[in-house]
Amino acid sequence: MTHIVSTENTLGGEPRIDGRRIGVLHIAARVIDKGEHPEDVAADYDLDLAAIHHALAYYYDHPDEMQEWREKKHQAAQRASERQLDPEKFRQHA
């Protein structure tokens, strides 16, 4: 049986499929947000279909935790975007 685990040293503690670096949010993004078929996602990652369903069950069973992780990822992406070099500023100084 597939388990969902969280370990600080893998994906920063984000819930993931045990033994893999595939987060619950990543599975949810593909199946729920993008509308991909669970069978296709399972095949892409060489996982049993049950692992995909366990990840989705965890996602639905822990809505507050999943929302917190979505916000953390969004904030991290914003920080990374802010740190990227602005091409317009680069051209002005060249």
Side-chain angles (χ1 to χ4, degrees), residues 38-69:
E39 297 85 358
D40 295 336
V41 176
D44 285 349
Y45 297 116
D46 193 29
L47 291 167
D48 293 332
L49 184 57
I52 302 302
H53 287 287
H54 284 285
L56 294 172
Y58 187 95
Y59 178 85
Y60 284 118
D61 285 345
H62 301 87
D64 293 337
E65 179 185 5
M66 294 294 97
Q67 183 59 35
E68 287 176 24
W69 279 107

